[in-house]
Amino acid sequence: MNPAANATNAAPTTTPSDVVRNISLVLDEMSGTVVKIDEQQMARIASHLAHPGRIFVAGAGRSGLVLRMAGMRLMHLGLAVHIAGDVTTPAISSGDLLLVASGSGTTSGVVKSAETAAKAGARIAAFTTNPDSPLAGLADALVIIPAAQKTDHGSSKTRQYSGSLFEQALFVATEAIFQSLWDNDPQPAEELWLRHANLE
Ligand SMILES: O=C([C@H](O)CO)[C@H](O)[C@H](O)COP(=O)(O)O
């Protein structure tokens, strides 16, 4: 049970002030975490993304969903992006980049993807909370997000559930990387927008 929950028989009521308080909680935890990310690590991932070569995006669950959003923005910039696991995704090979995220750094399918990418000679750019994880060990460029892992229940790093803080910080970090790449790119928004899906 959530320790913040009210242990009475009364029907639980979420008040507007609960929501306001929790908006502050999420924003404060998110900004407090993102400011601790090493900017050199972020810049290294950005320069890997700016290399020629295709980008493959891999992650499980919510971490994977966040990276799919990042993948769309990189596609808008004109990069060739594939999502690992989609039926049309081709084989990764040397010269390509695997952009991968796992809060724990141990999720088996994600680590396996990184091992496969490494064997194929691809570069690996990874986000994780865990510098000692198998995923971190495989990365050519690594960003450590100092958030709780999904099973760190009761962590002093967050009051939020599971890996939420990691996934939120991952979203902000990848948005900042996209914005930095676009700042150095002459294409106007209109040109990026021409690439947005017209079958949605
Ligand atoms: O979906 C997830 C879960 O809800 C944690 O908040 C995780 O993203 C998924 O389980 C993958 O875990 P990690 O590889 O450790 O990010």
Side-chain angles (χ1 to χ4, degrees):
M1 184 174 152
N2 175 1
N6 188 349
T8 69
N9 289 333
T13 320
T14 297
T15 64
S17 69
D18 291 335
V19 177
V20 169
R21 192 185 62 248
N22 284 317
I23 288 172
S24 295
L25 169 78
V26 172
L27 291 176
D28 290 350
E29 287 195 352
M30 213 172 24
S31 58
T33 302
V34 170
V35 294
K36 290 189 202 135
I37 299 176
D38 181 327
E39 60 272 19
Q40 301 290 345
Q41 294 181 353
M42 293 267 282
R44 217 167 297 132
I45 287 216
S47 51
H48 273 278
L49 289 165
H51 262 234
R54 300 172 301 173
I55 294 160
F56 289 69
V57 167
R62 286 169 46 114
S63 306
L65 290 173
V66 172
L67 279 197
R68 288 168 85 96
M69 289 197 275
M72 180 198 273
R73 285 289 179 263
L74 297 172
M75 174 279 290
H76 284 150
L77 268 183
L79 303 176
V81 180
H82 298 284
I83 308 290
D86 278 2
V87 289
T88 55
T89 296
I92 195 165
S93 62
S94 144
D96 295 332
L97 178 75
L98 180 70
L99 181 65
V100 60
S102 168
S104 58
T106 60
T107 302
S108 53
V110 177
V111 173
K112 184 82 198 142
S113 298
E115 286 169 352
T116 302
K119 267 192 208 124
R123 293 162 293 129
I124 297 165
F127 294 87
T128 183
T129 67
N130 184 358
D132 302 318
S133 62
L135 182 64
L138 289 160
D140 299 290
L142 181 66
V143 169
I144 298 298
I145 296 182
Q149 289 179 35
K150 60 188 174 186
T151 54
D152 284 347
H153 307 308
S155 164
S156 59
K157 291 182 179 152
T158 187
R159 274 198 47 227
Q160 297 182 72
Y161 174 63
S162 191
S164 288
L165 180 57
F166 170 73
E167 292 129 26
Q168 291 153 5
L170 175 65
F171 176 66
V172 175
T174 51
E175 290 284 269
I177 288 172
F178 162 77
Q179 194 64 35
S180 306
L181 292 172
W182 189 31
D183 284 348
N184 292 321
D185 189 304
Q187 300 177 88
E190 293 74 13
E191 204 169 323
L192 268 60
W193 190 246
L194 291 173
R195 301 191 182 98
H196 187 72
N198 55 3
L199 296 179
E200 66 181 4

